[in-house]
Amino acid sequence: MGIPFQTGDKERARAHALGALEGAAQRFPVLPMPNLAWNREVEAATAHLYERVAKVMPAIEWAYHAPYVKAINELKRERNAVILAHNYQTPEIYHCVADFVGDSLQLAKLAATSDAEIIVQGGVHFMAETSKILSPEKVVLTPDLEAGCSLAASITAADVRALRAEYPGVPIVAYVNTSADVKAEVDICCTSSNALKVVESLGSDRVIMLPDRYLAENVAAQTKVKIIAWRGACEVHERFTVEELESYRADHPGVKIIAHPECPREVVEISDFAGSTAAMIDYVRAKKPARVLLVTECSMADNVAAETTGTEFIRPCNFCPHMKRITLPKILDALVHIREEVTVDPLIAARARVSVQRMIDLG
Ligand code: 13P
Ligand code: SF4
């Protein structure tokens, strides 16, 4: 079982946000809430955006989203803000208001290079923290402070210090799905797209990987480095089973099964390919399989299906309840009120930045 987002983390995140809000509110006054009526003007102004999602969204649903899409896109320009959206965000966010989309590594790099004053993070709390760590001078907003992650909640900075004491001299690699406090304690970060490369870059015969036991097992299967793993798990990916996938294979002959490395080892083993969310998308774009099953969060398949022709998507997806906390109304609220601001203690941020930057510098 995954470990739920801990109450302590929420309270701490809220306390950080309340402290920061006073600063951001002074720099960015609250704006009036835009008119959110659905009418012919909104329909015409957003028709080109509806085309991007029409394959996965009925017109009646668009009538609800379109006024928010129009208002958010106008407000973004007024605020000099960008929206960074993870591949698990829903299609109306991913295709219609996001300025940049990608996997965790791509979003981290974009946060470091964007010249906007405000970043609205379409993703969960650790992603907003990573943006803040890399762009301390920017205002980073999360549309929902409670958008956590079972992996990030499974380990604390004190746990990392205890590991350090138990395994002196063994380098520690933290998946980016961790809090800033944890990143500050480790030697280097990794994402699912570079985990093997990061582990092998350390020149050590033993490496501690935290907090995802399955990512650690999937990396261990590809390297001679002995991996010591923490026992966290992603509550979305750990639910997929071999039996479930075998039955999809039987029902859908020829289907290509593409898994995320947060899935259990045996699920990855029977898959045709495993990689980060961006690598999964690249696989579909490059190979154009006739039938594909993305073993990951539900919105990914929607987002890829919306822009793909000639591929049938089989959908045994699992929802991430944390990612799904991010909605258009909350993004609009974030831009109108400049809330909730995500802050990281500057001393923690400076140490965490070293771990994240080492990963980015590996290329
Ligand atoms: P990536 O997009 O880096 O593959 O991460 C997947 C994920 O679960 C993020 O929360
Ligand atoms: Fe965390 Fe898993 Fe949700 Fe990603 S999908 S945010 S790893 S719980």
Side-chain angles (χ1 to χ4, degrees):
M1 277 298 293
I3 298 156
F5 192 46
Q6 289 159 355
T7 317
D9 294 343
K10 278 191 225 165
E11 282 162 5
R12 211 174 38 151
R14 188 169 286 118
H16 263 306
L18 289 175
L21 196 56
E22 291 162 21
Q26 279 165 4
R27 286 168 59 196
F28 300 98
V30 174
L31 295 173
M33 185 58 83
N35 178 4
L36 294 169
W38 164 248
N39 54 36
R40 287 197 185 286
E41 186 208 333
V42 174
E43 186 175 10
T46 59
H48 65 295
L49 295 172
Y50 181 53
E51 276 175 28
R52 296 184 189 174
V53 292
K55 278 177 68 185
V56 294
M57 186 183 296
I60 191 148
E61 191 181 330
W62 183 247
Y64 169 74
H65 294 308
Y68 287 97
V69 167
K70 180 170 180 291
I72 289 168
N73 284 329
E74 287 169 359
L75 214 45
K76 261 185 348 190
R77 285 189 284 277
E78 198 172 330
R79 291 291 204 189
N80 188 20
V82 287
I83 298 178
L84 304 187
H86 185 262
N87 293 324
Y88 293 162
Q89 293 293 282
T90 49
E92 67 278 9
I93 296 174
Y94 180 95
H95 284 292
C96 302
V97 300
D99 298 281
F100 301 104
V101 295
D103 67 5
S104 307
L105 180 61
Q106 290 168 327
L107 294 184
K109 287 180 176 167
L110 288 163
T113 54
S114 160
D115 54 10
E117 279 178 279
I118 298 172
I119 292 175
V120 181
Q121 197 79 36
V124 294
H125 193 262
F126 75 80
M127 294 179 173
E129 271 195 342
T130 305
S131 290
K132 186 67 186 177
I133 289 166
L134 291 168
S135 294
E137 73 295 350
K138 295 190 178 86
V139 172
V140 176
L141 303 176
T142 174
D144 190 325
L145 266 180
E146 299 201 3
C149 169
S150 65
L151 281 169
S154 72
I155 188 160
T156 65
D159 292 326
V160 183
R161 288 192 290 272
L163 281 171
R164 188 77 82 191
E166 192 179 344
Y167 299 98
V170 179
I172 304 182
V173 178
Y175 196 26
V176 284
N177 299 38
T178 45
S179 68
D181 291 357
V182 165
K183 289 184 176 79
E185 296 290 338
V186 304
D187 298 293
I188 188 166
C189 287
C190 76
T191 71
S192 56
S193 63
N194 60 18
L196 177 63
K197 186 175 181 178
V198 167
V199 164
E200 296 198 328
S201 76
L202 296 169
S204 173
D205 56 356
R206 283 194 306 168
V207 166
I208 298 170
M209 281 189 79
L210 56 89
D212 188 352
R213 57 178 287 204
Y214 295 122
L215 180 67
E217 282 171 19
N218 286 315
V219 169
Q222 301 172 67
T223 182
K224 290 193 166 63
V225 178
K226 181 174 170 9
I227 306 290
I228 301 161
W230 188 251
R231 303 294 289 172
C234 162
E235 67 188 81
V236 175
H237 291 96
E238 72 172 344
R239 295 211 300 269
F240 292 105
T241 63
V242 169
E243 296 68 39
E244 181 188 10
L245 299 186
E246 294 289 20
S247 83
Y248 278 103
R249 253 203 223 287
D251 292 347
H252 303 278
V255 67
K256 292 288 178 203
I257 297 185
I258 306 179
H260 194 278
E262 288 170 12
C263 292
R265 177 77 201 127
E266 62 275 15
V267 165
V268 168
E269 267 175 335
I270 63 143
S271 300
D272 296 289
F273 175 78
S276 77
T277 54
M280 295 167 90
I281 294 172
D282 289 346
Y283 180 101
V284 176
R285 284 183 186 149
K287 306 252 179 197
K288 302 187 192 324
R291 280 179 164 171
V292 74
L293 189 158
L294 302 180
V295 191
T296 192
E297 210 275 342
C298 303
S299 292
M300 259 265 305
D302 289 340
N303 290 334
V304 189
E307 61 180 28
T308 308
T309 45
T311 296
E312 181 193 359
F313 288 79
I314 315 297
R315 311 275 182 109
C317 64
N318 290 327
F319 270 115
C320 172
H322 311 292
M323 288 281 179
K324 292 299 157 294
R325 283 182 172 274
I326 310 301
T327 61
L328 289 178
K330 290 183 195 169
I331 292 174
L332 180 62
D333 184 77
L335 285 165
V336 166
H337 295 278
I338 307 298
R339 68 184 180 198
E340 307 285 349
E341 187 175 6
V342 172
T343 60
V344 180
D345 178 314
L347 292 177
I348 299 285
R351 291 169 59 210
R353 195 173 309 123
V354 173
S355 307
V356 179
Q357 195 60 49
R358 273 190 190 137
M359 165 186 81
I360 291 177
D361 291 345
L362 270 183

